[in-house]
Amino acid sequence: MARVTATAQERDLGQTCAMYSNNVMFIALVSLLTIVILSRGKCGLSRCVSRYLLFIAVTDLLVIIIDLILRQIPTVYREQFLFVQSISVCNIHTVLLFTVTDCSVWFSVTFTFDRFVAICSRKLKTKYCTEKTAAVVLGTVTALSCLKDITWYFILMGLYQLDNMPWFCAVKLIVSLSQAWRAIELLHYILTPGVPFVLILLLNTLTVRHILVANRIRRRLRGHSSGENPKDPEMKSRRKSIILLFVISGNFILLWALFMFNIICFRMRILGYRDVYPPRVVQEIGFMLQLLSCCTNTCIYAVTQTKFREQFKNMVTYPFTRIGQFIK
């Protein structure tokens, strides 16, 4: 009877893993198509904007691979992964995961700042909002993220916690008891996602303020010059350009908010506030939404960009079109 129950549980686990794998592979395939479309540069976006969006898409795909795919392998094949603590596979896995996550977050910040400069400063726009500057900024963010997250290698043990926990590597005992290492861990969470939260909210607030003032002045001038208030193509183009910025920024803030709340509660618990601690289900939901933020950019591009939808449709239908032409 026990063996039958165990077999049923193994079968259910296998079905769940298969369904999970299919969904993750579909998301990864869609993300890969997004990278191909953005790299072709036919979405009607400037080369600078395309560079930022391309790097965001690449890091999102890496998060999907390193977290959603590679994290499940030790959990499913736990017996085979009992040996890896001797070669610190979990530490390396963690460094890679935190690095690509930080890059994904900070690429969104740099993209927000680029659009802030483009909209609010015409003089600085010609010098800063270029493809070369974007490449330098993205490369610098990547290098700093690597330097920042290498410290995770020394914080964690080389041992997987094979219970499908969000924090999948065991923390060294000396680290959990050390105030210095706790400060370093807190610094990690301040830099990601604490500082990006503040910067994105600040930059978007200043951008909205500038747009409202500029639109009011422009509407007034056009009204005086023409005696009427016709549709302004410049304002329409400006409105479309900032929709993408606000949707990407809002997506980041909304989907990371609960994760940030859980981190604050965890730090308060360490400081002695035992009653301030969210239930396990809230922690799991926050972790899930944080990962979801790396899987939604394709939908954002499709909703906000007409030419991206056209390119995506062409990419998906191209094999069927070629097959139809071959049959004819």
Side-chain angles (χ1 to χ4, degrees), residues 109 112-113 116 120 194-210 245-246 249 253:
V109 176
T112 303
F113 181 76
F116 166 76
C120 301
V195 174
F197 256 78
V198 176
L199 290 178
I200 288 178
L201 287 173
L202 176 63
L203 292 172
N204 281 344
T205 300
L206 295 175
T207 302
V208 170
R209 179 178 178 275
H210 177 86
L245 167 65
F246 289 159
S249 301
I253 291 174

Side-chain angles (χ1 to χ4, degrees), residues 96-155:
L96 293 176
L97 174 58
F98 276 86
T99 299
V100 296
T101 302
D102 283 2
C103 287
S104 177
V105 171
W106 280 96
F107 287 168
S108 298
V109 176
T110 55
F111 173 65
T112 303
F113 181 76
D114 178 88
R115 293 300 87 197
F116 166 76
V117 172
I119 295 172
C120 301
S121 178
R122 291 185 176 272
K123 294 182 179 179
L124 188 58
K125 175 183 177 181
T126 56
K127 297 180 180 180
Y128 183 83
C129 301
T130 63
E131 187 178 10
K132 181 178 179 180
T133 302
V136 172
V137 170
L138 293 169
T140 302
V141 169
T142 303
L144 292 177
S145 297
C146 292
L147 291 175
K148 166 184 170 291
D149 292 314
I150 196 67
T151 54
W152 284 107
Y153 185 91
F154 306 100
I155 293 177

